[in-house]
């Protein structure tokens, strides 16, 4: 079987497994979890014994197991355990995984290169991205309504279609994390967040949002082009940065956008500090420090999510706090890495505290840690100055940022060194954790 035939067969199975999501309407959470465990055991131990290796990728046939095929049921199991009281969310996220992710690959193969590749990821195509949004949106909405037993309503259909479009973009990014995890768990979390938004609040504030659009687009384009000319972003970073920056300004106002700008300014400046030393030691940011699309989503994606949640909430305070903390975490992480790589005299692996060379994944230094704390403090004080958080919350934001960056260091030591996760995926996770931890510390969520 040719490589294309093998991939088409693999994705045929991938899509077909989405049919089992329709069973969730009759299952309890424990029954669903038990079936997912059964599928996991089957894919891990049984499938390779009766011909399943024909759909394994690369050298997986020789190893006897394929990580992606194992992660598929594992991701569904994770969804059931995360959302036991919301199997409709599990079903909708499963729809994104089975029909969105599956058909994106099928459409891309059938198109045979027609339609062009994505500027931020040449390995992905516009045809595949549109197929993900269309089939993922349709599958997600169908499964959500079926499992919940309700007819189609704009109140939940529009958020689901929006999430499908966002996840189509996220899936196309070179994050270094398996799509089964990104699409299912990430999609499920985003669906839960989007469906928690009060549509009535959005309608009541729509004039405010519309009134911000022109200024948001103009300022983001101006700053984006300036950053591109300065070499701080590449073209894909410019495009995605403008989209995310505009969304943050529209939903969080100029004050929310200032958090993003502060992170970008401080992070870009820190990247240039000691750049010659970083080049000599092989720790310099690639492409001369120019950030791309994946960097934009990794560092600003969580902030954009918190901005949207704040816009659709009758009590936006906790989400303003999370937004500030997310960008404080991104700033702390970037400054800690860049300053530590330039001036860290003694660097230690966070998991063992053994000395390691500067730039080692998971390494920390006193100089980098202090720079990170200082950066998060600057962002927190700006958030207070813009009225997004209270004076008392400043210290909690700094603490949450430190927790988020420490998690990133652990992920680097445990996973990135083994090529199980890349830096962009880590950055998104640590900013998300920073925001959630800040809410937990201040509001006890």
């Amino acid at each position: 079987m040719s490589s294309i035939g093998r991939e088409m067969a693999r994705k045929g199975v991938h899509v077909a497994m989405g049919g089992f999501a329709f069973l969730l309407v009759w299952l309890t959470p424990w029954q669903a979890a038990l079936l997912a465990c059964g599928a996991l055991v089957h894919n891990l131990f049984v499938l390779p014994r009766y011909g399943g290796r024909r759909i394994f990728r690369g050298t997986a046939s020789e190893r006897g197991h394929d990580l992606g095929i194992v992660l598929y049921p594992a991701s569904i199991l994770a969804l059931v355990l995360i959302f036991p009281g919301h199997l409709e969310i599990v079903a909708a996220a499963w729809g994104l995984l089975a029909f969105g992710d599956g058909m994106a690959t099928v459409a891309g193969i059938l198109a045979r290169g027609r339609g062009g590749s994505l500027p931020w990821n040449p390995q992905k195509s516009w045809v595949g991205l549109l197929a993900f949004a269309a089939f993922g949106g349709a599958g997600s909405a169908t499964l959500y309504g079926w499992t919940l037993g309700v007819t189609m309503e704009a109140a939940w259909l529009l958020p689901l279609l929006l999430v499908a479009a966002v996840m189509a973009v996220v899936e196309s990014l070179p994050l270094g994390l398996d799509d089964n995890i990104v699409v299912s768990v990430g999609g499920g979390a985003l669906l839960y967040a989007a469906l928690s938004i009060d549509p009535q609040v959005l309608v009541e504030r729509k004039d405010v949002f519309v009134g911000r659009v022109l200024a948001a687009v103009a300022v983001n384009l101006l700053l984006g082009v300036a950053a591109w000319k300065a070499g701080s972003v590449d073209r894909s970073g410019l495009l995605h940065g403008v989209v995310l920056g505009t969304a943050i300004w529209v939903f969080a106002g100029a004050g929310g956008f200032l958090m993003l700008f502060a992170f970008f300014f401080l992070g870009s400046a820190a990247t240039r500090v000691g750049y010659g030393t970083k080049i000599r030691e092989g720790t310099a940011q690639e492409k001369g420090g120019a950030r791309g699309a994946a960097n934009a989503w990794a560092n600003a994606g969580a902030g954009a999510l918190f901005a949207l949640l704040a816009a659709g909430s009758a009590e936006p305070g906790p989400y303003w706090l999370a937004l500030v903390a997310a960008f404080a975490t991104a700033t702390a992480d970037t400054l800690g890495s860049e300053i530590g790589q330039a001036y860290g005299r003694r660097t230690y692996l966070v998991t063992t505290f053994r000395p390691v060379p500067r730039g080692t994944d998971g390494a920390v230094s006193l100089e980098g840690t202090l720079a990170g704390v200082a950066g998060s403090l600057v962002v927190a004080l700006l958030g207070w100055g813009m009225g997004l958080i209270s004076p008392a919350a400043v210290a909690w934001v700094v603490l949450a940022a430190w927790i988020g960056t420490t998690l990133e260091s652990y992920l680097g030591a445990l996973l990135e060194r083994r090529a199980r996760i890349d830096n962009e995926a880590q950055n998104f996770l640590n900013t998300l954790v920073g925001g959630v931890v800040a809410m937990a510390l201040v509001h006890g969520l």
Side-chain angles (χ1 to χ4, degrees):
M1 182 183 292
S2 67
S3 59
I4 292 179
R6 186 187 298 269
E7 188 64 16
M8 289 293 283
R10 178 189 181 93
K11 287 303 176 181
V13 175
H14 185 101
V15 173
M17 291 301 98
F20 287 100
F22 287 95
L23 298 177
L24 290 173
V25 70
W26 296 296
L27 301 177
T28 67
W30 290 112
Q31 289 171 333
L34 184 62
L35 288 178
C37 285
L40 177 60
V41 172
H42 168 271
N43 287 8
L44 188 59
F45 299 109
V46 182
L47 181 63
R49 296 182 177 277
Y50 64 84
R53 297 189 186 194
R54 290 194 298 271
I55 60 174
F56 285 6
R57 284 179 179 153
T59 59
S61 295
E62 301 173 5
R63 296 194 307 267
H65 69 273
D66 187 296
L67 183 61
I69 289 177
V70 172
L71 286 177
Y72 190 121
S75 297
I76 302 304
L77 175 61
L79 280 171
V80 174
L81 296 178
I82 294 170
F83 303 107
H86 297 278
L87 290 185
E88 71 279 4
I89 298 292
V90 177
W94 196 342
L96 290 174
L97 175 62
F99 306 115
D101 182 49
M103 291 306 297
T105 301
V106 171
I109 292 174
L110 293 177
R112 297 180 181 177
R114 292 189 294 269
S117 59
L118 298 175
W120 57 88
N121 188 356
Q123 302 302 315
K124 302 281 187 175
S125 68
W126 284 106
V127 172
L129 185 145
L130 294 175
F132 187 112
F135 287 97
S140 178
T142 300
L143 283 166
Y144 182 84
W146 168 266
T147 306
L148 205 57
V150 297
T151 56
M152 190 173 295
E153 299 177 0
W156 57 263
L157 177 61
L158 293 178
L160 261 62
L161 295 179
L162 176 61
V163 168
V166 171
M167 290 308 301
V169 175
V170 172
E171 186 272 341
S172 73
L173 297 170
L175 295 176
L177 198 60
D178 192 276
D179 287 349
N180 290 291
I181 299 175
V182 173
V183 175
S184 59
V185 180
L190 191 56
L191 283 165
Y192 183 81
L195 292 168
S196 69
I197 294 173
D198 187 344
Q200 186 61 37
V201 174
L202 288 177
V203 171
E204 292 173 356
R205 298 175 180 171
K206 64 179 177 59
D207 291 339
V208 175
F209 302 144
V210 172
R212 293 172 176 168
V213 171
L214 184 60
V217 172
V219 172
N220 275 279
L221 275 175
L222 180 64
L223 293 175
V225 171
W228 177 52
K229 292 289 186 181
S232 296
V233 299
D234 62 17
R235 291 184 179 180
S236 69
L238 166 62
L239 172 63
H240 289 256
V242 168
V243 170
L244 288 166
T246 298
I248 290 171
W249 188 311
V250 168
F251 293 122
F257 177 77
L258 181 61
M259 302 302 102
L260 169 60
F261 179 78
F263 152 70
F264 183 75
F265 178 81
L266 293 171
S268 297
T271 299
R272 302 295 179 184
V273 172
Y275 199 72
T277 299
K278 296 171 189 174
I279 291 178
R280 288 193 301 271
E281 296 182 357
T283 62
Q285 179 78 18
E286 60 183 4
K287 296 185 294 185
R291 263 69 174 183
N295 299 107
W297 282 88
N299 291 299
L305 173 62
F306 292 132
L308 178 60
L309 290 171
S313 174
E315 298 181 3
Y319 298 118
W320 296 141
L321 171 68
L323 182 150
V324 174
F327 285 117
T329 304
T331 304
D333 176 47
T334 303
L335 266 62
S337 298
E338 298 293 345
I339 300 301
Q341 289 169 4
Y343 298 116
R345 288 181 292 179
R346 294 184 178 87
T347 50
Y348 303 90
L349 195 64
V350 69
T351 51
T352 63
F353 288 99
R354 292 180 178 175
V356 291
R358 290 191 298 197
T360 301
D361 295 327
V364 295
S365 67
L366 176 61
E367 294 82 359
T369 300
L370 292 177
V373 171
S376 64
L377 178 60
V378 170
V379 175
L381 290 173
L382 283 174
W384 169 37
M386 297 303 298
L388 296 174
I389 62 175
S390 67
V394 169
W396 296 118
V397 166
V398 174
L399 176 59
W402 178 80
I403 292 173
T405 53
T406 300
L407 170 67
E408 195 268 351
S409 296
Y410 270 93
L411 290 175
L414 297 174
L415 298 179
E416 188 176 8
R417 298 179 73 197
R418 297 176 173 84
R420 300 290 178 84
I421 189 173
D422 71 2
N423 190 59
E424 281 68 38
Q426 291 180 77
N427 287 344
F428 176 77
L429 288 173
N430 75 5
T431 55
L432 184 65
V433 167
V436 171
V437 167
M439 286 196 294
L441 291 173
V442 176
H443 297 280
L445 299 178

